[in-house]
Amino acid sequence: QAQCEEIREAQQAAQQAQNAAEQMRQSLKEASGWAVADLLGGGMLTGLAKHEQLDAVEEAMEELEQSLYWLSAELQDVQLEPPLDFTLNQNLKWADLFFDNVIIDWMVQQQIHQTLQQADDLCLDLEALQFRLFVCLQQKEELIEQLAAKQILA
C-alpha cells in the first residue's frame, strides 16, 4: 500500500506539472500573437505588450521547472523516468529590447514558436506519463486485492 501512496503522489506531481505546462503554452500563444503584430510593424506599444507577455512566459516557465523538479523526485520513488525539461533563450528577449528591428523580431518569433512546440511535446509526454501512472496504480491495487483474497481463503 505504500507503493500505491507513492504512485498517487507521483500522479499529483504529474497533474501539477501538466497544469503548469498548459499555463506556459497559453502564455506562449499570447506572446506569439504579440510577436507577429510586432513583426508586422506594430510599434512601441506592441513591443511592450509582447515583452509583458514574455515576462508571463518566464513566470510560467519557473513554475513549470519547479513542478518538473517535484515530479522528478516523485518519479524516482516509483522508478520511472521524468519527461525532459527545457529553457527559454533569454538573450533574444534582451536583444529585442535593445535592437528593435525586423530581424530580431523574427528571431524572437521563431524562438517563441520553438518553445511552444517543446511545450506541446511536454504536454503530450505528461499525458502519457499520467496514463502510465494510472495503469500502474490499477495494477498495484488489483495485486493487493488478490493477495488479500488469498489470505482470507487461507
Side-chain angles (χ1 to χ4, degrees):
Q1 291 197 2
Q3 289 179 341
C4 289
E5 185 58 33
E6 293 293 343
I7 295 169
R8 284 186 195 97
E9 289 173 3
Q11 285 178 313
Q12 289 175 338
Q15 184 59 53
Q16 182 176 337
Q18 180 76 34
N19 293 344
E22 291 292 342
Q23 178 61 42
M24 192 181 76
R25 283 178 67 218
Q26 185 60 37
S27 294
L28 281 163
K29 286 178 183 180
E30 291 176 21
S32 178
W34 285 111
V36 168
D38 194 30
L39 186 61
L40 297 174
M44 189 168 110
L45 291 178
T46 303
L48 290 174
K50 176 179 71 174
H51 286 282
E52 184 176 311
Q53 197 57 48
L54 287 174
D55 289 341
V57 169
E58 287 178 30
E59 289 176 25
M61 188 169 290
E62 287 174 15
E63 183 177 328
L64 176 59
E65 287 174 353
Q66 291 172 358
S67 296
L68 289 174
Y69 180 78
W70 179 41
L71 176 59
S72 178
E74 293 299 333
L75 289 177
Q76 286 179 356
D77 294 342
V78 294
Q79 288 83 39
L80 290 175
E81 291 292 319
L84 299 175
D85 60 346
F86 55 93
T87 57
L88 181 64
N89 185 344
Q90 298 298 318
N91 294 331
L92 285 180
K93 181 180 170 189
W94 291 110
D96 189 39
L97 280 173
F98 293 109
F99 307 106
D100 189 22
N101 63 52
V102 71
I103 294 171
I104 297 296
D105 289 344
W106 179 82
M107 290 172 65
V108 170
Q109 173 62 21
Q110 291 302 310
Q111 182 65 41
I112 290 169
H113 178 74
Q114 289 171 358
T115 306
L116 182 56
Q117 184 60 53
Q118 288 176 315
D120 290 342
D121 293 345
L122 179 62
C123 285
L124 291 174
D125 290 345
L126 288 167
E127 288 174 16
L129 174 63
Q130 288 182 59
F131 181 74
R132 285 179 57 203
L133 289 168
F134 173 77
V135 169
C136 186
L137 181 60
Q138 294 287 80
Q139 290 172 342
K140 296 287 183 189
E141 288 175 340
E142 287 174 14
L143 181 60
I144 289 169
E145 288 176 16
Q146 291 171 359
L147 292 174
K150 285 183 182 180
Q151 287 180 345
I152 293 172
L153 295 175

